[in-house]
Structure formats: C-alpha cells, structure tokens
Amino acid sequence: MSDSVLELGTQISSSPMFWNVMGKNSIALGRYREAEERYKHAFYMVPNRLYPLTLLAKLYHAEGDTVRFLDMAEKVETFVPKIENANTKRLREEIRDIKAGYTNNRKLTDE
C-alpha cells in the first residue's frame, strides 16, 4: 500500500528519498534485488549523496554477502559527498562499525 503512495511521490518529486523508502519496504517484503535496484536508482538520481550507498552496504551485510558488503563499505569510506557534515560522518561510522565486526571475526577464525 505505501509503495503505491510513494510511487505517486516519485512522479511529482525528484527527491531520491522516495526510492530509499521504497527500498526499505522491499527489504521488509524480502525482495532484496528490488531493494538493491531502488537504492541504486536513488544514488543515480543524486550521485553526490552517501545515504543510498550506506543502505546498499547494509543490505549486503543483512544478506550475508561479505564480498559485496566489503566492496560497498570501501566505497562509503572513500566517497566524497558534496557536503561533509555530521550526518555523513555518522553514516560512515555505522559502516565502519559493521566492517569492524568482519575484521574481528576474521582475526578470531585465523587464530
């Protein structure tokens, strides 16, 4: 139901947030590839925003796709947004925290 309202929003607004929210709806329904496409669409609409990339990284993490997560985490860490602010720093920190779990798990399994 909410997707139909959000889709109407995409027809009258150029805000990528409609696509981000629709991506979250897709995840809630277990439609991970659809969520991925929606997050990518949001990023391509305004490619100087970090938020859709962090959503992609979290999606790959939730799926247990280590390779894709680590690749996207690297993109998040090296991404240069149009405006660096407290929110972009917070988003990067969230991804670093998740990535640290991968690093810590790797150290434990290597020992």
Side-chain angles (χ1 to χ4, degrees):
M1 174 69 172
S2 66
D3 265 3
S4 59
V5 175
L6 291 166
E7 286 177 14
L8 288 173
T10 65
Q11 295 173 15
I12 60 172
S13 172
S14 60
S15 173
M17 284 307 290
F18 287 104
W19 293 95
N20 292 328
V21 174
M22 288 191 304
K24 289 182 177 190
N25 287 349
S26 297
I27 289 174
L29 296 171
R31 300 177 188 158
Y32 299 114
R33 294 297 58 85
E34 182 179 84
E36 178 182 37
E37 290 307 314
R38 287 175 166 183
Y39 293 152
K40 286 179 179 180
H41 187 96
F43 177 72
Y44 295 142
M45 287 179 74
V46 185
N48 61 6
R49 294 205 181 152
L50 184 62
Y51 187 55
L53 298 180
T54 61
L55 292 173
L56 278 167
K58 289 177 181 181
L59 168 66
Y60 299 144
H61 169 67
E63 289 182 301
D65 191 334
T66 304
V67 172
R68 291 174 86 186
F69 168 74
L70 291 173
D71 181 54
M72 190 56 62
E74 180 67 24
K75 287 179 183 169
V76 167
E77 290 184 75
T78 60
F79 185 77
V80 180
K82 183 175 182 179
I83 299 171
E84 185 74 41
N85 57 31
N87 191 46
T88 56
K89 291 176 184 177
R90 181 186 58 79
L91 292 171
R92 279 199 182 95
E93 190 61 35
E94 287 177 15
I95 299 303
R96 282 188 198 113
D97 288 346
I98 296 169
K99 187 177 176 183
Y102 283 82
T103 305
N104 292 339
N105 286 340
R106 181 177 291 160
K107 286 179 185 175
L108 291 174
T109 57
D110 287 346
E111 293 176 354

